[in-house]
Amino acid sequence: MKRVGVFLGAQKNWGGTFQYNEAILNAVLSLDRNRYEPVVVYLYDDWEAIVAQGGAETHRFAMGGTGRLFDKVWRQYGVPLNKAPLLWRLFHPVVKGLHSLDCDLWVFPSVDVFTYQMRTRTLGVILDLMHRYEPEFPEVSENGEYERRENHFGPLCQNATGILVDSELGREQVVESYGVSPAKVHPLPFIPPAGIVGTEDANGLRERLSLPERFFYYPGQFWEHKNHARLIRALSLISESHPDVHLVFSGFKDRQYQELVELAHKQDVGKRVHFVGYVEESDVGKLYRLADALVMPTFFGPTNIPPLEAMQAGCPVAVSDIYAAREQLGDAAVYFNPRSVEALGHCLRTLWDDASLRERLSEAGLKRSSRWTEADLQTRFSEIVASVLQ
């Protein structure tokens, strides 16, 4: 029997990465127990209640002072993270701990440097290479971030046994960027987190968050690449003809949050832009069911999780026409140029006014979301694991 470990290194405030970790955790736990023995390791309290329900061997690790020192030396100063692997194996508490569990394969569903510090087979993940394809955004290019990413993805591509990506375009980008064999890169499309869509009445949430009767919704952390600012300007642009349109943003109130609050007031739409803070997954599902549509003007891809969540909830979807969005969503979305405030404004007006369009998008989204389910992802993941272990 093969021991397959999964290392959960994400926190809830990492947004989509945490959700992806959940999906991969469930896929590991779904492996045939007659062939595989799952092992779960996690770093943060966010996982405690989740992993307790998995019925697998579970361990809580801590970085400790030595781990933080490694992080400072190898990340902060830009030293390539694949150098001196013996030091990692001898002294880093996490790497030592992972090796002590004697797994045949380790799965790392976050951007983890441990992916290429192991003696065993590893399955890493590359969710995006936007530092190469969208370097204009400071969160992926400034303060040494570009170099840190290169110093991570290069060794990962060289040393990992297999690499998970979100789409065929994601595979093409990895092969193009790092010269990896296509056979080593495994597309595994996203699925919405389990439990994102419930059947509970959502009106209580409307009252609790003081939500307007109608609104467009956008969940996402307040990074510059998420493009909240143009969405606020688009709302201002249509204010004269559509003074009743509202936007609801959820996400931790950090990064560009204060700038966006100030921008909304400068654009005279402060009362129509609602920042509700971080909300639990069950409440995100309710927000999709209450919203007129998801409007997501992000610049990053290749694909994204919120449109899948929205489709599963029957919420119409409007997204940036970039990268693999059409591969992911097909005819179940309205597409727009995320650089154009005018295009965004037109999208908002059209979706607000056209109930038949919203109904068509809702029906198309529900139909498309049924084509790739959690069971499909788990079957495909099992095939990938078998391939990597051969």
Side-chain angles (χ1 to χ4, degrees):
M1 183 177 293
K2 300 292 187 180
R3 285 169 61 84
V4 177
V6 57
F7 178 79
L8 306 171
Q11 302 179 70
K12 279 189 176 180
N13 64 357
W14 291 18
T17 303
F18 186 87
Q19 296 172 338
Y20 187 75
N21 273 242
E22 272 194 280
I24 298 302
L25 167 64
N26 291 332
V28 170
L29 295 176
S30 74
L31 291 171
D32 183 354
R33 298 292 176 97
N34 292 317
R35 299 177 60 195
Y36 304 107
E37 181 181 358
V39 179
V40 180
V41 173
Y42 65 101
L43 286 182
Y44 303 105
D45 291 341
D46 295 336
W47 290 105
E48 191 163 348
I50 298 172
V51 301
Q53 304 171 22
E57 179 184 330
T58 303
H59 303 269
R60 169 73 183 270
F61 281 10
M63 291 287 282
T66 303
R68 287 190 289 272
L69 178 62
F70 266 78
D71 187 71
K72 183 175 182 179
V73 170
W74 297 86
R75 282 181 178 272
Q76 184 172 328
Y77 297 110
V79 179
L81 294 163
N82 62 323
K83 298 297 184 183
L86 185 60
L87 287 178
W88 288 78
R89 294 167 187 170
L90 289 176
F91 298 109
H92 196 291
V94 172
V95 177
K96 287 172 61 180
L98 294 176
H99 278 126
S100 73
L101 295 175
D102 198 26
C103 287
D104 299 280
L105 171 67
W106 276 104
V107 184
F108 294 95
S110 302
V111 183
D112 286 305
V113 300
F114 312 124
T115 312
Y116 41 87
Q117 309 299 344
M118 306 297 296
R119 293 190 302 267
T120 56
R121 295 173 186 264
T122 59
L123 186 57
V125 61
I126 297 181
L127 297 178
D128 73 74
L129 293 174
M130 292 298 104
H131 68 294
R132 284 190 168 226
Y133 291 90
E134 298 289 347
E136 68 184 270
F137 294 100
E139 53 263 41
V140 294
S141 61
E142 294 184 1
N143 300 316
E145 184 61 25
Y146 185 99
E147 290 75 18
R148 277 191 290 273
R149 289 181 175 231
E150 282 296 287
N151 286 338
H152 170 73
F153 289 125
L156 187 153
C157 288
Q158 180 179 357
N159 295 299
T161 315
I163 302 166
L164 298 174
V165 294
D166 63 5
S167 59
E168 288 294 338
L169 179 61
R171 172 154 59 182
E172 292 173 15
Q173 290 182 342
V174 170
V175 172
E176 176 184 65
S177 297
Y178 298 105
V180 181
S181 166
K184 187 177 182 177
V185 188
H186 306 278
L188 186 71
F190 294 139
I191 58 165
I196 192 71
V197 179
T199 58
E200 308 90 351
D201 179 64
N203 287 315
L205 182 67
R206 186 193 301 277
E207 296 174 7
R208 175 154 53 93
L209 298 182
S210 301
L211 299 174
E213 185 63 28
R214 295 180 63 191
F215 59 88
F216 293 124
Y217 178 43
Y218 185 15
Q221 306 307 321
F222 298 111
W223 296 105
E224 185 176 332
H225 74 264
K226 296 289 188 179
N227 206 17
H228 292 84
R230 281 188 178 85
L231 190 51
I232 291 172
R233 291 190 175 94
L235 179 66
S236 177
L237 182 67
I238 66 170
S239 286
E240 187 173 340
S241 62
H242 291 71
D244 55 340
V245 177
H246 290 254
L247 300 176
V248 172
F249 297 149
S250 66
F252 286 94
K253 294 182 177 180
D254 55 14
R255 302 183 177 101
Q256 283 198 314
Y257 163 72
Q258 193 57 47
E259 296 173 39
L260 294 168
V261 171
E262 294 171 5
L263 175 64
H265 285 288
K266 287 179 182 177
Q267 295 287 321
D268 293 325
V269 293
K271 293 182 179 180
R272 295 193 286 126
V273 180
H274 308 262
F275 297 87
V276 299
Y278 171 79
V279 295
E280 296 291 339
E281 283 183 2
S282 58
D283 286 340
V284 171
K286 293 173 185 176
L287 282 165
Y288 284 127
R289 288 191 280 127
L290 290 170
D292 275 45
L294 163 73
V295 181
M296 186 171 184
T298 183
F299 283 102
F300 278 14
T303 65
N304 289 281
I305 292 178
L308 302 180
E309 298 173 336
M311 289 194 305
Q312 194 174 82
C315 178
V317 172
V319 297
S320 303
D321 193 5
I322 58 170
Y323 297 113
R326 290 181 183 263
E327 175 186 333
Q328 183 183 39
L329 305 173
D331 64 352
V334 168
Y335 301 93
F336 53 79
N337 177 1
R339 297 190 181 277
S340 170
V341 173
E342 291 75 16
L344 261 170
H346 175 73
C347 177
L348 296 180
R349 281 195 302 266
T350 302
L351 280 170
W352 195 260
D353 293 340
D354 194 339
S356 62
L357 172 61
R358 296 197 303 273
E359 182 177 359
R360 182 189 70 76
L361 290 172
S362 176
E363 292 174 355
L366 287 169
K367 181 178 179 180
R368 190 171 185 87
S369 66
S370 68
R371 291 166 50 181
W372 179 254
T373 66
E374 184 174 19
D376 296 321
L377 180 144
Q378 292 173 356
T379 298
R380 175 65 185 133
F381 180 79
S382 178
E383 294 169 352
I384 293 169
V385 167
S387 173
V388 170
L389 281 170
Q390 284 181 355

